[in-house]
Each structure stands twice: as structure tokens, then as C-alpha cells.
Amino acid sequence: MNNKLLKELYNKYYRELYLYIYSFCKNREATEDLVQETFLKAILSLSDSHANMRAWLYMVARNLYLNLAKKEKHMADIDELTDIPSEEQSLPNRIIEDERRRLCYESLQKVSGIKKEVLILQYYGGLSQKEIATTLHITPENVRVLSHRGKQELKRIMEEQGYDI
């Protein structure tokens, strides 16, 4: 793989791959290792002409996580997912927005099965339905249905917890 292309991919997708993997393993060190291993695999086997490098990176990161989960057979406790706040926002607005994100993230963790993964890829990863379908080895129509059902489940979970939606 071209060194310049690898640097571009790393700068463009590192953060979103990190958030994606972190949403599953909830361990900063393990997440860091998995994302680094994803880019190592890109160096070793991804060709410069691959049609969808982003989807390929997500698929590799997911598979590496699944392999790790099988080895360890346990998950770490939830750490708080933090986002870098914009300096333009006022402190109260940042606090409110951070709290909303935290509540939404905690509720998302309660969504069942593959629906949770579809929503994470869609909203935290920003992947299209086609890219999610490629990553999860399902059809785009299945992604659409799972996304819809996942949103309904997330809404129900948040309403049960008394969150204003």
C-alpha cells in the first residue's frame, strides 16, 4: 500500500474506527490495539485500488474485535465515551450536549444484537447503508430494516428510562 494513502486513511478514519470498536469493547487500551492492528493489516494486504477502503477497514476492525472477544469471553465495564467539545460552545451548552450524548450512548448499549451494531455504524461511523451491508455481510435492505427496528427499540428504551425524546 502506498505510504501517502495509508497516512491519509489513518488521519481520516482513525477516530471513527476507534469510536466504533470502543463501543463494543469499552476498553481504551484494547481499542487502541485493535485499531492499530486494523491499519497494520491495511499496510500488509489492502491494495491501493480497493473499491471501498472505508468499508474494508470497518470489516477488518470488526473481525479483529470478534476474534478478541472469542479469546477473552468477557467484556470490560462501560467507560464514559467522551467527545472533544467545540470551543465555540458555551460551557452550559457543552454540559447539556455531553449529557445527552451520554444518555443516548448508554441507551444504545441496551439495544439488542445486530441492530445496535447497525446504529453504531450509521451514527458514530457515518457509514452508508451499502457500506454497513458490506461490513456486516448483509443486504442493504436488511440494513434499512435493522436500522428502523433499532431506532424503535432505542426510542422505547429511552422512554422507559424517562428520557424526553
Side-chain angles (χ1 to χ4, degrees):
M1 168 177 264
N2 178 332
N3 193 27
K4 182 181 175 189
L5 179 60
L6 179 63
K7 285 180 183 178
E8 185 179 311
L9 286 174
Y10 185 86
N11 290 332
K12 192 170 186 178
Y13 299 122
Y14 176 85
R15 181 169 168 78
E16 64 185 69
L17 282 171
Y18 182 94
L19 291 173
Y20 172 63
I21 294 300
Y22 184 84
S23 69
F24 295 113
C25 71
K26 297 160 190 72
N27 178 298
R28 294 174 197 265
E29 291 80 20
T31 300
E32 186 75 35
D33 290 344
L34 290 170
V35 174
Q36 294 301 328
E37 194 171 341
T38 300
F39 284 103
L40 176 62
K41 288 196 178 285
I43 292 170
L44 299 175
S45 59
L46 184 61
S47 70
D48 293 350
S49 62
H50 193 279
N52 192 338
M53 293 182 187
R54 182 180 189 202
W56 186 89
L57 288 169
Y58 271 89
M59 184 175 61
V60 169
R62 178 179 186 261
N63 289 338
L64 289 170
Y65 166 73
L66 292 174
N67 290 340
L68 177 68
K70 285 178 189 174
K71 287 180 189 174
E72 294 181 356
K73 296 209 183 215
H74 70 279
M75 305 298 273
D77 291 334
I78 295 176
D79 282 348
E80 195 169 315
L81 183 65
T82 58
D83 197 7
I84 300 171
S86 167
E87 291 181 22
E88 296 173 8
Q89 290 181 311
S90 69
L91 182 59
N93 288 341
R94 283 196 320 235
I95 292 170
I96 291 169
E97 187 60 32
D98 288 348
E99 181 67 8
R100 283 185 186 146
R101 279 192 201 121
R102 186 185 65 74
L103 295 173
C104 185
Y105 179 78
E106 286 176 0
S107 298
L108 182 59
Q109 296 307 306
K110 296 174 185 171
V111 172
S112 61
I114 195 168
K115 293 180 284 192
K116 175 173 105 174
E117 193 166 358
V118 167
L119 292 177
I120 289 169
L121 287 169
Q122 193 171 26
Y123 292 107
Y124 288 101
L127 270 66
S128 68
Q129 287 183 355
K130 185 177 179 181
E131 290 171 323
I132 294 170
T134 301
T135 301
L136 300 179
H137 304 291
I138 57 179
T139 66
E141 177 62 21
N142 200 354
V143 170
R144 188 187 66 73
V145 169
L146 289 167
S147 175
H148 177 72
R149 290 178 182 166
K151 289 176 202 173
Q152 287 178 326
E153 186 176 340
L154 180 61
K155 181 180 179 186
R156 181 187 52 74
I157 290 167
M158 293 181 82
E159 285 173 346
E160 287 173 359
Q161 295 176 349
Y163 300 145
D164 185 25
I165 299 177

